[in-house]
Amino acid sequence: MSGADRLTDALYGAGWSTVKKLPEPVAARLGRTIADLAWKRRGKGVQRLESNYARVVPDASPERLAELSRAGMRSYLRYWMESFRLPAWSAERIRSGFDAKDLHHLTDGLAAGRGVVLALPHLANWDLAGAWVTTALETPFTTVAERLRPESLYDRFVAYREGLGMEVLPHSGGSAFGTLARRLRDGGLVCLVADRDLSASGVEVDFFGERARMPAGPALLAQQTGALLLPVTLWYDDSPVMRGRVHPPVEVPASGTRTERTAVMTQALADAFAGGIADHPEDWHMLQRLWLADLGPTKGPA
């Protein structure tokens, strides 16, 4: 393990061991302080966040974009402070920490014995939403996680999410899709963050008027297993409670090749994501390149 990897692992370890012991108001203030410092430094992540917001809010002035990126960094650090503290939250704190609208789309699907795929963008705190599902709904689910460097950091994330009641599969290795399909055929629940895929298998979509790639997995799983495909969007307000909405199912087209059906369904996901992001852009934590125009002709898969 390199020195940089050891430092990264140590910092995350300190977050999980130290931040979760802080009183909640103290942790919230710490998150805002770190966010404001990072925003003032205007590193690459902040600049990319602001550039992405410029597409979401195309008529925003430079001053408005600066306000959005500052609010975005505060939202991003709220996500981290909450995530570091989630393992120490009581079941009641988790249940009261999330308010889900139109939840019947999910509960009706599960009650009918159909598998359900929840697809989310990087909005607000998807880990909290997952912990709420396993706690308030008492429903386990399966997800995937990208392998991180160092390996010990990936192991920390897996242990953290499994401690919240999630089954976590590695994104690489080729076996995740088959396992997800089996869970869905058994009437289970799968949750996938699905607003960015720079691999060769990503599906091109129109997203805020420009081309981007999103993963084919959610649409393919729904087609192959008969599971419901439900977009979900999340957001924060001024309260300690995160808000969310389960959108109506994305239907499988009646005709077309598998590739054509996947393209139509993935575009429908992108449209649902775009609506949630446009309503709450500051809660979209996209600090990386997303649109194809930003990748450049020499950029390979990420």
Side-chain angles (χ1 to χ4, degrees), residues 272-293:
F273 294 166
I277 292 166
D279 288 341
H280 306 278
E282 67 279 5
D283 292 323
W284 189 41
H285 307 150
M286 186 55 66
L287 282 73
Q288 300 86 22
R289 289 188 294 264
L290 175 72
W291 282 274
L292 301 186

Side-chain angles (χ1 to χ4, degrees), residues 198-247:
L198 304 186
S199 71
S201 62
V203 178
E204 281 198 25
V205 296
D206 181 84
F207 196 54
F208 291 100
E210 295 191 43
R211 303 302 286 174
R213 288 195 196 105
M214 294 185 182
L220 288 172
L221 285 167
Q223 290 177 65
Q224 292 196 17
T225 68
L228 283 178
L229 175 55
L230 302 176
V232 177
T233 53
L234 308 170
W235 66 93
Y236 291 128
D237 57 19
D238 294 330
S239 77
V241 179
M242 183 177 72
R243 314 294 175 177
R245 173 172 284 108
V246 181
H247 296 257

Side-chain angles (χ1 to χ4, degrees), residues 32-156:
R32 288 193 297 271
T33 299
I34 296 172
D36 289 349
L37 288 172
W39 177 76
K40 289 176 182 176
R41 287 183 59 192
R42 291 195 59 77
K44 289 183 179 179
V46 173
Q47 293 180 49
R48 177 55 56 190
L49 183 67
E50 204 163 287
S51 173
N52 290 338
Y53 286 162
R55 284 186 167 93
V56 175
V57 191
D59 57 348
S61 65
E63 293 78 15
R64 172 61 177 148
L65 286 176
E67 291 174 0
L68 271 177
S69 64
R70 183 180 186 185
M73 289 305 295
R74 286 188 168 191
S75 175
Y76 186 47
L77 264 295
R78 175 173 172 176
Y79 159 76
W80 278 112
M81 292 297 112
E82 286 179 347
S83 295
F84 286 143
R85 290 176 50 75
L86 265 176
W89 280 16
S90 67
E92 179 53 36
R93 177 65 183 91
I94 292 174
R95 283 192 291 265
S96 65
F98 180 46
D99 173 42
K101 301 180 185 301
D102 298 327
L103 188 63
H104 64 92
H105 293 303
L106 170 59
T107 54
D108 289 352
L110 293 173
R114 293 184 68 176
V116 176
V117 180
L118 296 181
L120 306 87
H122 286 81
L123 273 169
N125 191 338
W126 46 96
D127 284 327
L128 171 55
W132 186 87
V133 167
T134 61
T135 303
L137 299 185
E138 298 181 344
T139 302
F141 66 87
T142 305
T143 188
V144 297
E146 292 186 33
R147 288 203 171 274
L148 302 172
R149 291 185 55 196
E151 189 74 13
S152 57
L153 179 58
Y154 171 78
D155 292 340
R156 285 184 189 273

Side-chain angles (χ1 to χ4, degrees), residues 244-299:
R245 173 172 284 108
V246 181
H247 296 257
V250 172
E251 301 293 344
V252 178
S255 61
T257 65
R258 185 176 72 166
T259 298
E260 290 168 343
R261 292 195 300 267
T262 300
V264 170
M265 296 172 72
T266 306
Q267 182 63 62
L269 283 181
D271 293 342
F273 294 166
I277 292 166
D279 288 341
H280 306 278
E282 67 279 5
D283 292 323
W284 189 41
H285 307 150
M286 186 55 66
L287 282 73
Q288 300 86 22
R289 289 188 294 264
L290 175 72
W291 282 274
L292 301 186
D294 290 338
L295 300 178
T298 62
K299 300 291 183 182

